[in-house]
């Protein structure tokens, strides 16, 4: 009976280890998919936990902020200028989505960017962090022009005519 109990215990341990191995493989695959999707986004994006610690950052965020590849365990408060920190800290636990212009401490020096804060919600609706999308003002203006149709459809070369005055212009 002791041997049978020992064999069952060993079998349970092996079964548990195999389940853990499968879960770890699934987690690594999901992390790879998340990172791939994250890097495909056109703007710098970071994910932050409820305490303000950066948990994920795409390549554009790493380049923009001039950080090393491993931004994890960096505090979000280190990437915004001191006057903007109260606004950022106020958003951390609220679960609200907000877009604002903030001074970001980039690798090339501080610069104003459009930052969109969106909550990461658990299944029960409780906020557990947020994503921060950082876009340059120029990119946002170009996007607004394309969406709003506010762009020049014609240039001077499109004007047809034989007048000497028109040709001189």
């Amino acid at each position: 009976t002791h041997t049978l109990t020992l064999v069952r215990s060993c079998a349970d341990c092996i079964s548990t280890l195999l389940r853990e191995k499968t879960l770890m493989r699934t987690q690594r695959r999901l992390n790879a998919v998340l990172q791939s999707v994250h890097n495909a986004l056109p703007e710098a994006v970071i994910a932050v936990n409820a305490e303000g610690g950066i948990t994920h950052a795409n390549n554009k965020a790493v380049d923009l902020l001039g950080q090393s590849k491993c931004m994890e365990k960096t505090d979000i408060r280190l990437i915004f200028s001191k006057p903007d920190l109260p606004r950022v800290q106020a958003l951390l636990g609220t679960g609200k989505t907000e877009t604002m212009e903030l001074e970001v401490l980039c690798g090339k020096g501080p610069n104003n960017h459009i930052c969109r804060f969106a909550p990461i919600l658990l299944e029960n609706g409780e906020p557990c962090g947020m994503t921060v999308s950082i876009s340059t003002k120029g990119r946002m203006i170009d996007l607004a022009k394309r969406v709003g149709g506010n762009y020049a459809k014609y240039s001077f070369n499109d004007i047809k005519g034989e007048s000497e005055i028109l040709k001189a212009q």
Side-chain angles (χ1 to χ4, degrees), residues 101 112-114 135-142:
E101 184 176 344
N112 283 0
H113 291 284
I114 307 299
S135 301
T136 62
K137 287 197 296 187
R139 185 179 185 300
M140 295 304 286
I141 291 169
D142 289 344

Side-chain angles (χ1 to χ4, degrees), residues 9 33 120 133:
S9 179
V33 168
I120 300 171
S133 303

Side-chain angles (χ1 to χ4, degrees), residues 64-67 76-82 85 102-113:
L64 175 72
L65 300 171
Q67 299 286 328
I76 192 172
R77 294 165 189 95
L78 298 176
I79 65 171
F80 293 105
S81 65
K82 289 198 187 297
L85 284 180
L102 298 171
E103 186 176 63
V104 178
L105 304 175
C106 302
K108 297 176 183 173
N111 208 341
N112 283 0
H113 291 284

Side-chain angles (χ1 to χ4, degrees), residues 85-143:
L85 284 180
R87 295 168 69 189
V88 173
Q89 289 173 318
L91 279 173
L92 275 176
T94 63
K96 288 196 264 182
T97 299
E98 194 165 332
T99 302
M100 60 183 84
E101 184 176 344
L102 298 171
E103 186 176 63
V104 178
L105 304 175
C106 302
K108 297 176 183 173
N111 208 341
N112 283 0
H113 291 284
I114 307 299
C115 300
R116 182 174 188 276
F117 296 83
I120 300 171
L121 302 174
L122 298 174
E123 291 174 1
N124 63 1
E126 179 185 337
C128 66
M130 62 181 17
T131 59
V132 182
S133 303
I134 305 170
S135 301
T136 62
K137 287 197 296 187
R139 185 179 185 300
M140 295 304 286
I141 291 169
D142 289 344
L143 182 62

Side-chain angles (χ1 to χ4, degrees), residues 8-91:
R8 282 187 180 159
S9 179
C10 288
D12 287 344
C13 285
I14 291 170
S15 178
T16 301
L17 287 173
L18 288 174
R19 274 195 307 274
E20 285 178 6
K21 188 175 181 179
T22 302
L23 287 172
M24 291 298 288
R25 191 176 318 126
T26 302
Q27 183 181 7
R28 281 193 303 274
R29 191 170 353 119
L30 287 173
N31 281 339
V33 168
L34 172 68
Q35 196 63 34
S36 178
V37 168
H38 220 180
N39 286 328
L41 297 172
E43 61 235 342
V45 179
I46 57 176
V48 182
N49 61 24
E51 292 78 36
I54 296 175
T55 59
H56 295 83
N58 69 358
N59 290 340
K60 288 178 182 69
V62 171
D63 292 342
L64 175 72
L65 300 171
Q67 299 286 328
S68 65
K69 278 288 188 191
C70 185
M71 280 185 62
E72 287 77 18
K73 299 188 178 97
T74 301
D75 197 289
I76 192 172
R77 294 165 189 95
L78 298 176
I79 65 171
F80 293 105
S81 65
K82 289 198 187 297
D84 291 329
L85 284 180
R87 295 168 69 189
V88 173
Q89 289 173 318
L91 279 173

